Amino acid sequence: MRNQVSFKVYGEYALFTDPVTKMGGEKMTYQVPTYQALKGITESIYWKPSITYYVDEVRIVNPIQMESKGIRPMKYNDSSASDLAYYTYLKQPCYEVKVHFEFNQYRPDLKQDWNEHKHFQILKRAIKVGGRRDIFLGTRECQGYVEPVDFGESEGFYDHYGELHFGTMVHGLSYPDETGKDELAVRLWQPIMENGVIHFLRPETCELIRPLKSMQMKPFTFNEIESVDQLTEVLEGEE
């Protein structure tokens, strides 16, 4: 696929919070990462408002294990007090991710930044150095690490497992600059893992969409961002 890259992301723990479990102040992770979480990780590696990432596939390399920890989060509106809560994390998560980017058709004002070759080269370079910003696996306390990978070449725990269904999960959030609508919406779906690999739906093909609130597109002008041409010059100067 055009503009497609693969990378491996891993860490000690991950917390891809199931929103249903947050009602009581405690958190429970999904068994597998959401489309939105993997998109966020990719955007931490390299992002510009002129491009949009699409997560094509994720491969679950390590067995799905969970571990609960006692946490003392501060009470809402009272930073001097805390409560005991239990957060359930994924332990030793490791994923191979395949993504590609397309130019954001809802940002024609940034068309001057649509240089496909330069974006692609910067993205590949950013993966090699572990990303341009810190990588988190779901939440800030779960540090992640990124490196290049040949998707599917290493041995995975679920390579011959068959199908595994995860029920209804959050797929991701639909923001105004990715839909052209003045609203924030959440997308739901029922993922199926087949021999360790989940093939993601594109956001516009998800059928379960729930509007959350009105939201306006964040304004940008071309002069306010570091263009891909400027960034390429900086990176070439470092070599």
Side-chain angles (χ1 to χ4, degrees):
M1 183 179 289
R2 194 167 175 172
N3 296 330
Q4 189 178 65
V5 295
S6 298
F7 62 86
K8 175 181 174 181
V9 59
Y10 58 96
E12 289 294 315
Y13 293 98
L15 180 55
F16 305 112
T17 308
D18 182 344
V20 174
T21 67
K22 294 174 69 175
M23 301 298 288
E26 301 190 340
K27 296 181 180 179
M28 175 81 176
T29 183
Y30 279 130
Q31 297 179 73
V32 292
T34 63
Y35 177 99
Q36 191 70 33
L38 296 172
K39 182 169 175 279
I41 289 170
T42 311
E43 290 174 344
S44 291
I45 295 172
Y46 171 65
W47 178 77
K48 294 288 181 186
S50 50
I51 63 176
T52 301
Y53 286 112
Y54 292 88
V55 185
D56 302 313
E57 298 172 278
V58 61
R59 180 167 177 255
I60 316 301
V61 179
N62 288 347
I64 298 171
Q65 304 177 80
M66 296 186 182
E67 181 176 315
S68 294
K69 294 185 177 187
I71 305 290
R72 286 199 172 276
M74 287 186 293
K75 282 188 174 180
Y76 188 67
N77 281 340
D78 186 0
S79 59
S80 63
S82 63
D83 273 332
L84 177 63
Y86 285 94
Y87 290 3
T88 302
Y89 298 85
L90 287 168
K91 188 177 178 182
Q92 299 290 330
C94 180
Y95 309 109
E96 293 178 1
V97 187
K98 193 179 287 185
V99 302
H100 76 278
F101 70 82
E102 299 175 11
F103 293 119
N104 190 342
Q105 301 300 318
Y106 296 103
R107 301 310 305 253
D109 50 329
L110 302 179
K111 204 168 185 176
Q112 295 177 69
D113 203 45
W114 291 4
N115 188 316
E116 188 173 331
H117 174 71
K118 289 184 177 178
H119 280 299
F120 188 60
Q121 295 305 318
I122 293 173
L123 174 59
K124 289 198 298 182
R125 177 188 176 119
I127 292 172
K128 285 182 181 176
V129 299
R132 291 175 57 81
R133 292 188 289 274
D134 290 341
I135 305 296
F136 301 110
L137 296 174
T139 55
R140 184 163 286 274
E141 69 263 31
C142 299
Q143 179 74 50
Y145 306 93
V146 165
E147 58 186 63
V149 72
D150 291 322
F151 192 92
E153 283 206 349
S154 64
E155 185 177 350
F157 184 81
Y158 297 99
D159 286 353
H160 309 289
Y161 195 85
E163 282 192 359
L164 191 58
H165 295 238
F166 296 101
T168 301
M169 283 179 55
V170 169
H171 181 277
L173 297 171
S174 297
Y175 291 95
D177 62 352
E178 296 174 346
T179 63
K181 300 177 181 177
D182 292 334
E183 70 174 17
L184 174 67
V186 61
R187 305 184 303 272
L188 306 172
W189 75 317
Q190 289 93 31
I192 300 172
M193 183 174 77
E194 187 171 358
N195 293 328
V197 177
I198 297 174
H199 303 273
F200 285 104
L201 296 175
R202 283 180 65 99
E204 63 270 24
T205 61
C206 286
E207 297 180 352
L208 296 173
I209 300 176
R210 297 290 181 268
L212 297 178
K213 63 179 181 179
S214 298
M215 180 182 282
Q216 302 295 315
M217 185 183 299
K218 187 174 182 179
F220 278 110
T221 65
F222 183 71
N223 293 330
E224 291 175 326
I225 67 170
E226 182 183 37
S227 70
V228 69
D229 293 329
Q230 292 170 325
L231 181 55
T232 299
E233 288 181 12
V234 171
L235 294 175
E236 288 177 347
E238 294 175 351
E239 292 179 346

